[in-house]
Amino acid sequence: MTATPKIEVRGLKKRFGAKVVLDGVDLDVAAGESLVVIGGSGTGKSVMIKCIIGLIRPDAGSIRIDGEEVTGLDARGRERIMARFGMLFQGSALFDSLPVWENVAFGLIQGRGMKRAQAKEVALRKLAAVGLGEPVAALFPAELSGGMQKRVALARAIATEPEIILFDEPTTGLDPIMSDVIDDLIINCVKDLGATTISITHDMHSARKIATRIAMIYGGRIIWDGPAATVDRSGNPFVDQFINGRADGPIVMEVRPL
Amino acid sequence: MGFLAAIGRATLHLLTACGSVSLFAAQAIAVSFRPPWHGRLIARQMLEIGYYSLPVVGLTALFTGMVLALQSYTGFSRFAAANAIPSVVVISITRELGPVIAGLMVAGRIGAAMAAEIGTMRVTEQIDALTTLATNPLKYLVVPRLIAGLTMLPLLVVVADVIGVFGGYIVSVHKLGFNPASYLKRTFEYLKVMDVVSGLVKAGAFGFLIALMGCYHGYRSKGGAQGVGAATTQAVVAASILILLANYFVTEIFFSRQ
């Protein structure tokens, strides 16, 4: 590989108490790529992307964004890097004290210091891009359905036009049709922005649709990684078991027999 | 041995808690000096703490003043010292009961609300979302509440002082047969500026502690609805205990100066 990867993760480790969650993750993401990380619940997917964006401080390892080491940054450096990121949270994480448009405009008003009137215009455009009209903009998040909340959260994540967007289980908890709508919106929004994205999911339908590359995390490490089209002939028994959703295989769930 | 270990564990737990609260407060104070300042949020918190607490604080202050006059009379009239009642009422209210009663009422009202709101934001990832939108959550959530607590509680206590003294006046004049004019004259005869000032200093300290406990316990809560419930309880209990402890130490500082 000649060009510097957009995101370069080396030897990332994190433990909570005695529980080792990440045990030396190595990962490269090229600019403009859409990487989907698959893996079962509790395998450290969420912790990994929270380390990358800086919400969790890793115990060891290196994370470089455009070649710049970001693990040891102070608060101000962290804020500077954060301005280049967007993130869609699993539970949407909308601010329930603010109306929808202010949620979308939040990064522009608070992070960029944009005037409220101008930020509102941008917010309305972004809401339109995810298929939500002006009447929705004045509502509060609690008044929306789960799918609408997800779309608002997507609009918020792309409002500042970040270079890197992280999606934490974007389709979990949605019906299959709404999941597909969200997948389409993610593909379109990312294409428009030319952003680099990392998504984590255990929804294989969604993974196949949005990924250009797929990686699988198991036991705190990346155990397989390759172009999305080759996931079906990975030759890796762990990946095969996961994408076919079989209970028997090398991955053993810790379930006590009935 | 188990007994000693339990004492040791409790002591370590207490010291850890003191350390992490101090660190939390120090971080919040440090970021409060850096722009941007969230004037709108500070104003909203001031309204919430100052204005909306008026009925609760006013009502408790009124009845505290009334019962104080009544109780002093039962005691003092036995040795013909009933004339001291106006002074006893005003000094007890301004130095002691005004700040403590207002502090405890606000701790129940505001400390709980802060812990519940910030705790819910924590468990629904809204605080993480703030960070990803390049906004410092300490500055956005904690600093406005600390400033509002520090400034609003003294103002509330001024109101509580006036209403409390008025409560004593009502009972003394209408029930115990005091002359209104001489009651008022005696009220202000022995009152010193320091009596009121020491009460207001206490109020400022209590307001800061209430906001600090509400924010700290909310910020550190985890584990969903149950965690938020626990954080709310801890915030109110810790704030109430700290108010009574701080009350003694502030009193001693002012007392030893005289």
Side-chain angles (χ1 to χ4, degrees), chain B residues 8-102:
Chain B
R9 207 174 303 122
T11 312
L12 285 178
H13 189 72
L14 182 70
L15 290 176
T16 316
C18 288
S20 77
V21 168
S22 310
L23 207 61
F24 182 80
Q27 282 171 343
I29 292 168
V31 296
S32 70
F33 291 103
R34 264 202 291 143
W37 291 285
H38 299 289
R40 185 188 287 258
L41 296 174
I42 297 173
R44 190 192 296 168
Q45 290 303 324
M46 285 181 157
L47 189 72
E48 190 62 43
I49 299 178
Y51 185 71
Y52 291 126
S53 300
L54 273 175
V56 177
V57 169
L59 201 64
T60 45
L62 181 73
F63 278 91
T64 306
M66 285 165 68
V67 80
L68 194 58
L70 214 52
Q71 287 284 24
S72 314
Y73 185 80
T74 15
F76 285 20
S77 60
R78 285 178 205 160
F79 38 94
N83 277 344
I85 288 175
S87 298
V88 168
V89 169
V90 74
I91 291 176
S92 313
I93 293 277
T94 54
R95 290 186 68 110
E96 194 60 45
L97 291 170
V100 171
I101 297 278

Side-chain angles (χ1 to χ4, degrees), chain B residues 124-199:
Chain B
T124 57
E125 296 186 310
Q126 290 181 52
I127 292 182
D128 286 343
L130 276 175
T131 311
T132 66
L133 294 165
T135 303
N136 186 327
L138 281 178
K139 180 177 285 183
Y140 187 82
L141 294 174
V142 177
V143 170
R145 286 169 169 80
L146 291 178
I147 292 176
L150 187 66
T151 54
M152 283 297 110
L153 213 66
L155 292 182
L156 271 175
V157 166
V158 169
V159 177
D161 285 353
V162 173
I163 294 178
V165 169
F166 178 67
Y169 170 88
I170 294 177
V171 168
S172 302
V173 169
H174 294 286
K175 198 171 168 67
L176 307 173
F178 278 74
N179 176 295
S182 69
Y183 185 92
L184 284 180
K185 181 168 166 287
R186 280 175 181 283
T187 294
F188 295 107
E189 206 167 28
Y190 297 107
L191 182 68
K192 289 194 232 140
V193 175
M194 225 21 166
D195 295 330
V196 179
V197 169
S198 72

Side-chain angles (χ1 to χ4, degrees), chain A residues 114-206:
Chain A
M114 192 187 275
K115 291 267 174 293
R116 289 173 68 83
Q118 197 189 346
K120 184 168 185 175
E121 274 178 37
V122 178
L124 291 177
R125 270 209 309 280
K126 296 293 176 191
L127 282 169
V130 296
L132 295 172
E134 218 170 316
V136 177
L139 297 176
F140 281 86
E143 299 172 279
L144 305 180
S145 69
M148 282 164 104
Q149 288 183 0
K150 255 321 193 300
R151 284 192 272 168
V152 174
L154 177 61
R156 183 175 72 178
I158 61 171
T160 53
E161 311 200 335
E163 299 161 38
I164 303 165
I165 312 177
L166 307 178
F167 298 100
D168 186 356
E169 313 234 350
T171 57
T172 299
L174 300 178
D175 67 67
I177 299 171
M178 185 52 78
S179 297
D180 205 47
V181 170
I182 296 285
D183 288 339
D184 283 337
L185 287 172
I186 288 175
I187 293 166
N188 289 334
C189 293
V190 170
K191 205 190 295 163
D192 290 348
L193 291 174
T196 308
T197 66
I198 303 179
S199 316
I200 57 177
T201 188
H202 44 233
D203 174 354
M204 277 315 297
H205 180 79
S206 170

